[in-house]
Amino acid sequence: MSDAPGATPHQRELEEGIQRDFSRSMSYGDYLRLDVLLAAQEPLSDPPQHDELLFIVQHQTTELWLKLMVHELRSARDLLRTDDLAPALKRMARIKHIQHTLTDQWSVLATLTPSEYAQIRPFLATSSGFQSAQYREVEFLLGNKNADMVKVFAHDEGARSTLEELLHEPSLYDELLAHLARQGYAVPQRLLDRDWSRPRATDPDLIELFAGVYAAPAEHWGVYETCEELVDVEDAFQQWRFRHLQVVQRVIGHKVGTGGSSGVDFLRRALDLTFFPELYEVRTRIG
């Protein structure tokens, strides 16, 4: 039938204007540095194991998304510092989409069975996702500060230096509180002049402040919307953590992690961590 008169050919002809010669101009591969990017997947298994490429790609793409998330979080934090609330909210909206992508892609790694993972695990040696410097950057930017985490990167001066700086800088939440203070909200001074490297405890006066915002959303719409954006970010982060735990339990059960952690039990304890405690505590007060 394909040779019949008037039949539609099963091929799309290139349009005249489409670029064909890249000997003197930039190509798609040139711009994205695909020669470098696609050469970065170097399985170590010997004899080669089919599923090692999956494991490498999964974690490399995660690092790329984390790089973008760090970029957006830094920008959102800087915008709050200059009281540019609207674009800061735009950054947070993008962060949530990145988080959803990171959570969804766990489903690909979940296709790795325990038997398949056992074939590649010896070649991971002591490497572990726990050692992701960019993941720690995200946590520090969101306010989960822990000086002990910096010590894990003593072998990598660049990563250690970046985390040390973030440890002593205000988090996204700290900058929100400073922004609220400049707008006339009764943020306790002790929260504005504190040691940024120390983890925060839940503050009852801050709960009271947010209770007032939630009691009259129309009067505090910008702050109200920002609070809900932050809750969305934390909720998405917790979904990522829980999905991570599920996949690890499915693939390795309760084995000790390659980096020396207790594995599933260690991941489960992370579910108790919170970035914005007052934004959750205030919900008990609403209504």
Side-chain angles (χ1 to χ4, degrees):
M1 293 295 293
S2 61
D3 294 329
T8 302
H10 297 289
Q11 182 179 348
R12 182 177 60 174
E13 297 295 331
L14 287 181
E15 297 173 351
E16 286 297 321
I18 289 179
Q19 182 82 20
R20 293 172 172 80
D21 182 3
F22 296 97
S23 58
R24 296 185 179 181
S25 57
M26 180 184 291
S27 71
Y28 173 81
D30 293 335
Y31 178 72
L32 295 178
R33 299 289 305 280
L34 292 183
D35 56 336
V36 176
L37 183 64
L38 298 180
Q41 297 76 45
E42 297 184 0
L44 299 178
S45 55
D46 184 18
Q49 298 298 320
H50 174 82
D51 296 297
E52 190 178 3
L53 184 61
L54 160 63
F55 195 86
I56 292 172
V57 169
Q58 171 90 23
H59 289 82
Q60 286 184 343
T61 53
T62 294
E63 289 296 328
L64 287 172
W65 285 120
L66 287 174
K67 182 173 184 175
L68 182 57
M69 196 187 305
V70 168
H71 176 68
E72 300 296 343
L73 281 169
R74 284 181 176 274
S75 178
R77 185 186 61 167
D78 293 345
L79 288 165
L80 286 176
R81 187 177 296 142
T82 55
D83 299 321
D84 293 319
L85 188 59
L89 292 176
K90 177 65 166 62
R91 303 292 190 270
M92 292 183 211
R94 180 175 292 166
I95 288 164
K96 289 189 296 184
H97 286 292
I98 296 169
Q99 290 176 299
H100 293 155
T101 297
L102 283 168
T103 300
D104 288 344
Q105 77 175 31
W106 280 119
S107 298
V108 184
L109 195 63
T111 65
L112 193 65
T113 69
S115 301
E116 292 164 346
Y117 179 66
Q119 298 300 312
I120 64 175
R121 181 169 180 159
F123 301 96
L124 304 180
T126 56
S127 65
S128 167
F130 176 82
Q131 300 149 12
S132 169
Q134 291 193 123
Y135 177 82
R136 298 304 165 196
E137 287 182 46
V138 169
E139 286 209 317
F140 281 17
L141 283 162
L142 289 173
N144 184 18
K145 303 289 187 73
N146 186 338
D148 285 340
M149 292 297 180
V150 180
K151 300 174 185 176
V152 176
F153 301 94
H155 67 287
D156 183 338
E157 178 55 29
R160 189 209 60 76
S161 176
T162 297
L163 288 173
E164 189 71 38
E165 289 176 4
L166 288 175
L167 181 69
H168 294 281
E169 292 176 355
S171 69
L172 178 69
Y173 196 42
D174 292 323
E175 289 295 357
L176 172 63
L177 299 184
H179 165 75
L180 294 181
R182 290 190 295 272
Q183 305 309 307
Y185 288 87
V187 178
Q189 191 63 36
R190 63 182 174 274
L191 300 181
L192 303 174
D193 299 328
R194 69 184 193 86
D195 179 354
W196 307 121
S197 68
R198 304 291 297 173
R200 286 188 59 256
T202 304
D203 191 286
D205 291 335
L206 199 52
I207 297 173
E208 191 68 28
L209 186 160
F210 287 131
V213 169
Y214 277 88
E219 297 174 23
H220 309 277
W221 188 260
V223 179
Y224 176 74
E225 183 181 12
T226 305
C227 290
E228 286 300 286
E229 284 289 329
L230 288 177
V231 171
D232 284 347
V233 167
E234 171 142 349
D235 185 56
F237 204 97
Q238 289 288 49
Q239 290 180 46
W240 183 90
R241 281 174 171 158
F242 182 66
R243 188 68 180 121
H244 182 193
L245 183 155
Q246 284 183 310
V247 172
V248 170
Q249 187 167 358
R250 172 177 177 151
V251 176
I252 71 168
H254 287 269
K255 290 186 181 72
V256 172
T258 50
S261 76
S262 57
V264 167
D265 291 338
F266 180 78
L267 296 174
R268 183 172 286 114
R269 289 196 296 275
L271 295 175
D272 293 329
L273 299 174
T274 179
F275 300 119
F276 319 120
E278 293 84 5
L279 295 181
Y280 282 87
E281 291 291 338
V282 75
R283 278 153 163 74
T284 307
R285 299 277 303 276
I286 297 170

